[in-house]
Amino acid sequence: MESSVQIVDRPSKAFFLALGLLPLLWACGDDGTGPPVEVELPETGFEQRSGVEFTTHEEELAFLGDVDAASDRIRITEVGTSVLGRPIHLARLAYPQPATDGQIAAGPAILVLGTQHGNEPAGREAALQFLRDLAFAEAAGLPDAMSTATVLVIPTANPDGRFANTRGNAELVDINRDHLALATPEARAIAQVIRDFRPDIVVDAHERPGATTPDLQLLWPRNLNVFAPVQDLSRTLVQDHLFVVLPVGGLSVELYGPGPGPPGDENESILRNAVGLRHALGLLVESSGQQDPLRRVAVHQETMNSVLDFFADRSGEIVAAVTDAPGAKEAAGRDRTAPFYLFGADDNAPTPDQLLDPPPCAYMLSAEQVTALQPQISLFELRTEPDGSDVLLPMDQPMMTVIPLLADGRARGPQVSGVARVSAIECGVP
Ligand SMILES: [Zn+2]
């Protein structure tokens, strides 16, 4: 479902487009004869109050409406609603203007999410400023990435949690443990955006509420089922790019959750891993919530801009990896020569009982189980095949990366317990 942000009592887009002097917009007086009038760019509530209080929900709606109305480079729609009916917005940004949604899906895109955890507000504030700055920067000053890629921003992934300052949504469900189960409307909205826009990189902005240092902790998808080139480039983004450039700007950076096991683990219900399993580079960004709010917001915005630089530097490799991933995983599901990992991470080798080797060729599901998996079948684009009164979920498909995690009773959080088909006879191997 999509609907445009409604604007009332604001200057029209054409009004601003006729102007063009940036970063400040200028206009003649109302009658066209007076001296130039300086028109301020939209500011967040946080900026207006110099970081003393975060932007309110109402201020965010007005801000997004103002930015959308005043720049042709941005198109904002509602892509979902929270438990309590608050809108979840998606901004598309490109120069000179965003392509159609279908064209965006077919080309490179970088998705930035703010505030999946409502009590971690800095990512949202940074996302709002980031999208505004991209919408109004002088063309010569735009990041190189915007010459080829669309920038997508969901500034507030958990609007109810932000409103109430809670980690979870209005039902206190942690959205960032729901990217496999898809039980929350918020996680489903994110899954739908990933399905419909196929981002190449996903940046997920969080905070560590009790932490005073460092400025940032970062991590990539550690899940072992992520296509290796996608995982390698995600790791490269952190270790060879952000760990190098952010300290030059005076920021202290560390790995998130060092050492094997939680919290820096492979859990597929965490967005960082889920996007890797969906064939995009993933980046978790964690600021320290006890620092000055202005600094926390600035470090997130710096990271977002730095990710755009990485994309521009490595776009050939990134596009090749995310383009190759679906076919490579489909082939892996067909060939069954590599194990499937129910557990284990790139820093925590699985034990033999934690992997499926050889992996099943399919899972057999009852009609009831298929009904239970409808959100995943739709939002992960899973292919099913009828098999008598049952249904098969074959592994020879691009999203085989989630199938055993969803349908194998031995996995961490399966949604159903299907019957694995493994033997040569069951799998039709001659
Ligand atoms: Zn968080």
Side-chain angles (χ1 to χ4, degrees):
M1 178 186 60
E2 295 194 356
S3 66
S4 293
V5 176
Q6 297 302 310
I7 313 298
V8 289
D9 297 325
R10 305 286 178 192
S12 71
K13 182 175 283 191
F15 172 76
F16 285 103
L17 288 174
L19 313 177
L21 286 178
L22 297 170
L24 290 175
L25 298 170
W26 298 77
C28 293
D30 284 348
D31 59 1
T33 59
V37 175
E38 192 174 292
V39 181
E40 299 282 346
L41 286 181
E43 285 192 328
T44 64
F46 179 78
E47 289 175 305
Q48 289 168 350
R49 293 183 288 274
S50 302
V52 174
E53 287 174 355
F54 292 104
T55 302
T56 67
H57 177 68
E58 294 304 323
E59 286 170 343
E60 176 182 333
L61 297 185
F63 174 85
L64 291 175
D66 288 350
V67 173
D68 193 41
S71 170
D72 249 14
R73 288 184 204 155
I74 191 165
R75 184 170 75 250
I76 304 176
T77 64
E78 188 180 314
V79 289
T81 50
S82 66
V83 168
L84 296 181
R86 292 193 174 91
I88 296 169
H89 286 116
L90 174 71
R92 309 128 176 96
L93 285 137
Y95 180 80
Q97 60 188 35
T100 66
D101 288 354
Q103 289 167 333
I104 293 170
I110 297 140
L111 170 63
V112 171
L113 283 106
T115 303
Q116 279 202 79
H117 291 146
N119 61 338
E120 302 171 11
R124 164 182 179 255
E125 295 295 344
L128 292 172
Q129 295 181 30
F130 174 70
L131 70 85
R132 187 269 323 279
D133 291 353
L134 293 178
F136 294 106
E138 289 189 53
L142 283 172
D144 290 345
M146 281 187 72
S147 64
T148 56
T150 302
V151 176
L152 304 168
V153 183
I154 298 177
T156 309
N158 178 6
D160 294 345
R162 176 76 286 271
F163 188 83
N165 200 36
T166 56
R167 176 180 172 90
N169 68 2
E171 294 171 332
L172 302 182
V173 177
D174 186 339
I175 296 164
N176 204 26
R177 298 296 182 276
D178 190 38
H179 293 290
L180 189 72
L182 303 178
T184 63
E186 295 88 357
R188 289 195 295 272
I190 295 166
Q192 179 188 312
V193 167
I194 294 171
R195 179 192 68 186
D196 294 346
F197 293 87
R198 302 191 183 283
D200 297 56
I201 304 179
V202 178
V203 179
D204 188 19
H206 288 253
E207 300 202 81
R208 299 156 63 231
T212 53
T213 59
D215 287 310
L216 287 167
Q217 289 191 347
L218 306 169
L219 192 58
W220 57 86
R222 287 200 182 277
N223 191 289
L224 292 171
N225 301 296
V226 175
F227 182 51
V230 168
Q231 188 171 52
D232 290 346
L233 280 165
S234 301
R235 192 186 297 113
T236 299
L237 166 60
V238 172
Q239 290 191 321
D240 297 346
H241 179 71
L242 295 173
F243 276 9
V244 174
V245 300
L246 294 176
V248 173
L251 303 186
S252 53
V253 293
E254 287 177 358
L255 203 58
Y256 180 73
D265 69 359
E266 76 278 13
N267 189 325
E268 59 274 4
S269 64
I270 295 172
L271 188 65
R272 164 178 57 84
N273 286 307
V275 300
L277 295 170
R278 300 187 67 180
H279 314 313
L281 277 65
L283 174 67
L284 170 73
V285 185
E286 297 263 0
S287 55
S288 289
Q290 294 300 310
Q291 289 182 336
D292 171 16
L294 288 168
R295 184 174 180 94
R296 289 150 55 195
V297 172
V299 301
H300 273 289
Q301 202 176 351
E302 180 70 18
T303 306
M304 293 168 191
N305 283 309
S306 192
V307 171
L308 296 189
D309 292 342
F310 177 78
F311 179 82
D313 290 346
R314 310 289 287 261
S315 62
E317 290 165 82
I318 295 166
V319 170
V322 303
T323 303
D324 290 348
K329 283 297 174 180
E330 182 173 348
R334 184 174 56 245
D335 300 342
R336 304 171 65 206
T337 50
F340 190 96
Y341 301 94
L342 296 176
F343 297 90
D346 66 350
D347 64 339
N348 187 17
T351 56
D353 63 320
Q354 293 180 329
L355 48 86
L356 305 174
D357 190 16
C361 60
Y363 285 84
M364 194 171 68
L365 307 176
S366 67
E368 208 169 45
Q369 290 173 325
V370 174
T371 300
L373 282 182
Q374 273 311 312
Q376 289 80 10
I377 289 170
S378 168
L379 293 167
F380 297 156
E381 298 182 285
L382 294 173
R383 183 184 93 247
T384 58
E385 295 172 0
D387 185 61
S389 60
D390 296 317
V391 172
L392 284 183
L393 192 50
M395 285 286 281
D396 61 338
Q397 55 179 313
M399 284 300 294
M400 58 79 82
T401 46
V402 298
I403 287 174
L405 305 175
L406 282 169
D408 197 305
R410 296 164 288 185
R412 181 193 336 267
Q415 301 305 299
V416 298
S417 190
V419 179
R421 288 194 168 180
V422 181
S423 73
I425 291 174
E426 289 173 311
C427 292
V429 179

